[in-house]
Amino acid sequence: EPEVTQTPSHQVTQMGQEVILRCVPISNHLYFYWYRQILGQKVEFLVSFYNNEISEKSEIFDDQFSVERPDGSNFTLKIRSTKLEDSAMYFCASSPLSGNYGYTFGSGTRLTVV
Amino acid sequence: AQTVTQSQPEMSVQEAETVTLSCTYDTSESDYYLFWYKQPPSRQMILVIRQEAYKQQNATENRFSVNFQKAAKSFSLKISDSQLGDAAMYFCAYRSAKAGGTSYGKLTFGQGTILTVHP
């Protein structure tokens, strides 16, 4: 069964450093998403991406965040200057179309900011 | 904006018994989709079951079924013949079906319910 692949599985970074989280969505999917889950809390939407541009973003997705699909297969989330409160699990997801399809989620990247 | 509420932070069930997890949501839309996701300790998000709001028939997937009450905006998950592998956090989620709507495409999650299965 096709999978969404995320790397790395765990990343530790110093506060103020830039991090790039990487995702390879399922190849024939058209919609891509990033979600965040702070430990023990609910999953929160960050951003959706379609046709090489952001289609929607949440209030969490401020100027410190950016997304990119640099080569037609990877989908990246960059955090420019990490804060302690950015420590969370970050999930990439993709969907073939909107509609009744649930997304396929990746296994997540655990980001720890120290 | 849509909201999803799971009022049971924790539930427990004996192996082989049945358990029901509750979810309510608030929306002004008439066309949408609802989902239950399972998150085991590995933290992978696994789709359990989905329901289209325009369908009156409740969705079922093997031991998992839903009770969808559109007027009451309620979407509960029933797990029959519970197994130890069902132990996980369960999230209810909402997705608009409205093309171009502000929430089009994104999932709005509830707070989650931790399910413990006792042998």
Side-chain angles (χ1 to χ4, degrees), chain A residues 31 33 35 37-45 48 55-56 58 88-89 91 95 97-108 110, chain B residues 4 33 35 37 39 41-47 50 52 54-55 89 91 95-97 101-112:
Chain A
Y31 294 82
Y33 311 86
Y35 285 78
Q37 185 184 29
I38 295 172
L39 186 64
Q41 298 186 24
K42 69 177 178 180
V43 181
E44 300 173 293
F45 169 76
S48 59
S55 53
E56 186 178 3
S58 73
M89 196 77 166
F91 291 101
S95 173
L97 329 137
S98 53
N100 67 342
Y101 295 95
Y103 303 174
T104 302
F105 279 87
S107 54
R110 180 173 295 180
Chain B
V4 178
Y33 306 97
F35 305 89
Y37 279 88
Q39 188 180 44
S42 66
R43 302 193 75 181
Q44 175 83 37
M45 295 291 287
I46 301 165
L47 178 64
R50 65 172 73 92
E52 295 92 334
Y54 64 84
K55 288 188 178 178
M89 174 85 92
F91 290 99
R95 181 176 188 176
S96 171
T102 57
S103 63
Y104 181 61
K106 77 173 187 184
L107 288 172
T108 301
F109 285 88
Q111 304 92 321

Side-chain angles (χ1 to χ4, degrees), chain B residues 60-80:
Chain B
T60 62
E61 287 286 342
N62 301 315
R63 298 182 295 106
F64 298 87
S65 61
V66 298
N67 183 4
F68 173 50
Q69 301 288 327
K70 190 173 184 180
K73 297 180 182 172
S74 169
F75 182 61
S76 60
L77 174 70
K78 184 169 85 171
I79 306 173
S80 304

Side-chain angles (χ1 to χ4, degrees), chain A residues 30-87:
Chain A
L30 301 176
Y31 294 82
F32 313 114
Y33 311 86
W34 284 100
Y35 285 78
R36 179 180 84 173
Q37 185 184 29
I38 295 172
L39 186 64
Q41 298 186 24
K42 69 177 178 180
V43 181
E44 300 173 293
F45 169 76
L46 290 178
V47 65
S48 59
F49 193 86
Y50 170 70
N51 199 25
N52 285 318
E53 59 183 27
I54 290 173
S55 53
E56 186 178 3
K57 59 183 180 179
S58 73
E59 61 275 7
I60 302 168
F61 194 87
D62 61 22
D63 291 344
Q64 294 296 315
F65 292 89
S66 62
V67 289
E68 197 177 33
R69 190 160 161 78
D71 56 13
S73 61
N74 290 284
F75 179 52
T76 62
L77 174 69
K78 182 193 288 185
I79 309 175
R80 258 179 275 282
S81 178
T82 49
K83 308 184 195 74
L84 294 176
E85 55 264 37
D86 293 327
S87 295

